Amino acid sequence: MARTKEFDPDAALQAALELFWRRGYEATSMADLVEGLGIGRASLYATFGSKHQLYLRALERYGEQTDPVLLAELSQPGPVLPAVRAVVRRYAAESTGSGRERGCFVVNTAVELVPHDSSAARRVEASLGHLEALLTAALVRAAAQGELPEGRDPRALARTLMVLMQGMRVMGKVADGPARVRDAAEQALVLLG
């Protein structure tokens, strides 16, 4: 007779996400995961597979938690540019506020794993593509509503904002970063008109 799981896999995945996000992939050992998740090594392997598979699932979970928030912010009815500005300013505030040392899990993955891990690279590219698509859709709507100056390319603006927003996550980790991040965010918003 098969044994039933004595732990909540969903809670364990969330704990793994937090641990990987705080420490990174390489700095998180299997022993750290066993202790942090509060489950045995055999249960961890049986439920999640390898450390790498668990990391990729944690990265997917991160997107499941952050993407709906961004979608809700950018798809509100009415004027669009105030919402876009609010998102960019939120990224700046999060990048320089409490917990800034963790950065963005997607950006952290891009820096640590993408150069040599094609599975991580695909997931990072998908996440960044999704962010670009959300920003592009919002800016296309803004252009249709006459909020953008003539001649502005919504997709190019979305890409500019996406690169800036992800760069803010990196710069926010630097001790002298807050003023740089805030100044860059405000200058980028000038592009919106």
Side-chain angles (χ1 to χ4, degrees):
M1 183 167 162
R3 293 180 57 197
T4 59
K5 290 195 186 317
E6 297 175 8
F7 67 95
D8 178 357
D10 191 59
L13 179 58
Q14 187 63 37
L17 165 59
E18 296 297 329
L19 189 58
F20 282 130
W21 193 1
R22 198 170 52 252
R23 299 191 65 179
Y25 178 76
E26 292 296 334
T28 304
S29 68
M30 283 303 290
D32 295 330
L33 289 165
V34 166
E35 181 181 331
L37 278 59
I39 62 175
R41 186 178 296 258
S43 293
L44 194 149
Y45 283 120
T47 303
F48 299 109
S50 67
K51 171 184 161 182
H52 187 254
Q53 289 169 316
L54 176 57
Y55 186 89
L56 295 176
R57 288 197 45 199
L59 184 57
E60 289 169 5
R61 165 64 62 89
Y62 180 80
E64 291 166 2
Q65 293 173 346
T66 58
D67 291 350
V69 172
L70 190 58
L71 176 61
E73 289 174 313
L74 292 175
S75 61
Q76 298 173 19
V80 179
L81 289 187
V84 172
R85 287 186 180 98
V87 165
V88 172
R89 288 181 176 128
R90 177 176 60 81
Y91 266 67
E94 289 173 358
S95 297
T96 59
S98 174
R100 68 180 170 75
E101 300 82 15
R102 288 192 316 176
C104 168
F105 195 45
V106 173
V107 171
N108 296 349
T109 301
V111 171
E112 183 180 12
L113 295 180
V114 164
H116 59 275
D117 184 330
S118 61
S119 296
R122 282 191 301 276
R123 284 167 176 82
V124 166
E125 182 56 41
S127 179
L128 296 177
H130 185 67
L131 173 59
E132 180 183 325
L134 290 174
L135 287 167
T136 299
L139 292 170
V140 164
R141 219 171 83 231
Q145 293 175 184
E147 296 178 68
L148 286 178
E150 281 293 316
R152 297 289 164 88
D153 178 350
R155 185 173 185 217
L157 282 173
R159 287 179 165 179
T160 300
L161 293 177
M162 180 196 65
V163 168
L164 172 85
M165 290 160 61
Q166 301 306 23
M168 289 189 304
R169 300 294 199 184
V170 174
M171 290 304 298
K173 290 183 170 198
V174 178
D176 197 25
R180 288 178 183 145
V181 168
R182 284 190 300 272
D183 288 350
E186 291 306 316
Q187 285 304 303
L189 293 178
V190 170
L191 297 172
L192 299 176

